[in-house]
Amino acid sequence: MPIKLALMAVILFSSTAVWAFPETFDHKYGTTTLTEAPERIVSIGYSDHDDLLALGQKPLAVRDWYGDMDKATWPWAADLWGNTEPVVLPFGDLDMETIAALEPDLIVGLSSGISAEQYQQLSLIAPTLPQSGDYIEWGMPWHERTLWIGRAVGKLPEAEAMVNEVEQRFDSVTEQHPELEGKQAAIAYYWDGQLGVYSENDLRGVFLERLGLEIPGAINDLAGDRFYSELSLEELSLLNVDALIWLSTGDAQADAEKVLGRELMAFHREDREIYVDKELGGAFSFMSPLSIHFIFDELVPQIIRVVNTQH
């Protein structure tokens, strides 16, 4: 079912149901039931704290991803902390002792990538919420993550309102820019000497397709059940799309300029490239209701410009 239709179904159902505890979540490692609204939340997902903050929840701890941001929180969400100082868990291995010492009554890990063993360990500390089993690892759509977190903290109506606000922005863009429909787009990176591209399973790819753009089938075939694929230089022509977005944790244009043969490709000669800076790259990677508005403001106009200036 297309994401928009699935979302409408979820919202329609929720508007007629009584959303009260207990709440039960069927996820990739089993089932988690919450008997009451949590008060002490630890966020181990790399981007889950965005959703929590947007819902007025200030977790005891958050998990650092990248970007060297204060409180592991990017500008679009930073002000929501107020004077609260969370514990910042480092990127990578989870510090179970620190998490246990915080005595949480909920551990949120929808964007955490935790293993079954880690889930079992965390569940001994507090009810733990990993991602849905309906998607590949890291592939749970942003709107489902928001709605799950809304249910978990007893604020589903507020979560629905946030999702609806974003959906309205999607609808506005697609109505005003029908020229995006069917145009091809891709998101590429060049990191540590390796060229790569993201597929339609990636949340960023989902965002582009919601605008009416298409990720080429050849790219999706290469990725298979992953959200990305490495590309060889011989496969560089797969990036000859209508809008090519270069993603980087640093300088996207400098990274792209290292790709051998790029200057010969149509996407370069015809100015179809978009270079995403650090802050916009963070927003595109977090893909939360807060960061998505930043994407609409900063990236979508660039996509529209590139598509409308094709030779």
Side-chain angles (χ1 to χ4, degrees), residues 105-271:
D105 49 21
L106 173 64
I107 300 171
V108 178
L110 301 184
S111 63
S112 66
I114 56 173
S115 66
E117 181 180 1
Q118 288 173 317
Y119 170 73
Q120 293 297 330
Q121 292 175 306
L122 291 165
S123 294
L124 296 175
I125 298 171
T128 299
L129 201 59
Q131 75 161 62
S132 166
D134 294 335
Y135 307 95
I136 66 168
E137 193 72 81
W138 312 106
M140 187 172 180
W142 70 269
H143 67 274
E144 289 198 30
R145 185 180 69 209
T146 298
L147 295 176
W148 271 37
I149 291 176
R151 287 174 55 204
V153 301
K155 292 189 174 183
L156 180 63
E158 292 91 333
E160 289 177 334
M162 292 194 303
V163 170
N164 281 329
E165 185 179 5
V166 172
E167 285 296 315
Q168 288 170 10
R169 293 203 70 173
F170 275 119
D171 290 339
S172 178
V173 171
T174 56
E175 289 170 7
Q176 294 178 30
H177 297 280
E179 70 273 15
L180 297 179
E181 185 70 30
K183 290 295 192 300
Q184 290 196 327
I187 308 158
Y189 65 87
Y190 187 76
W191 184 77
D192 198 24
Q194 176 62 60
L195 177 66
V197 67
Y198 294 98
S199 76
E200 64 181 0
N201 288 327
D202 182 73
L203 301 190
R204 288 157 290 214
V206 171
F207 180 94
L208 296 181
E209 294 199 329
R210 178 63 178 83
L211 294 175
L213 299 162
E214 296 178 358
I215 306 294
I219 290 176
N220 295 324
D221 290 343
L222 281 175
D225 59 1
R226 299 181 299 168
F227 63 88
Y228 73 98
S229 175
E230 300 86 358
L231 286 183
S232 67
L233 294 179
E234 290 75 18
E235 295 168 320
L236 187 58
S237 61
L238 291 179
L239 300 183
N240 279 326
V241 292
D242 298 297
L244 175 60
I245 300 167
W246 286 103
L247 193 65
S248 173
T249 58
D251 187 331
Q253 184 167 357
D255 287 349
E257 289 173 351
K258 298 174 185 176
V259 177
L260 295 177
R262 165 178 165 270
E263 68 279 0
L264 303 176
M265 292 292 107
F267 63 75
H268 177 68
R269 290 185 287 102
E270 299 179 8
D271 193 26

Side-chain angles (χ1 to χ4, degrees), residues 54-94:
L55 291 168
Q57 304 292 309
K58 298 178 182 180
L60 302 170
V62 296
R63 194 174 180 190
D64 192 27
W65 188 359
Y66 75 98
D68 193 27
M69 295 292 171
D70 182 43
K71 304 175 187 177
T73 305
W74 289 64
W76 51 82
D79 290 345
L80 297 177
W81 282 109
N83 295 323
T84 300
E85 293 289 338
V87 172
V88 177
L89 302 169
F91 177 86
D93 292 339
L94 287 169

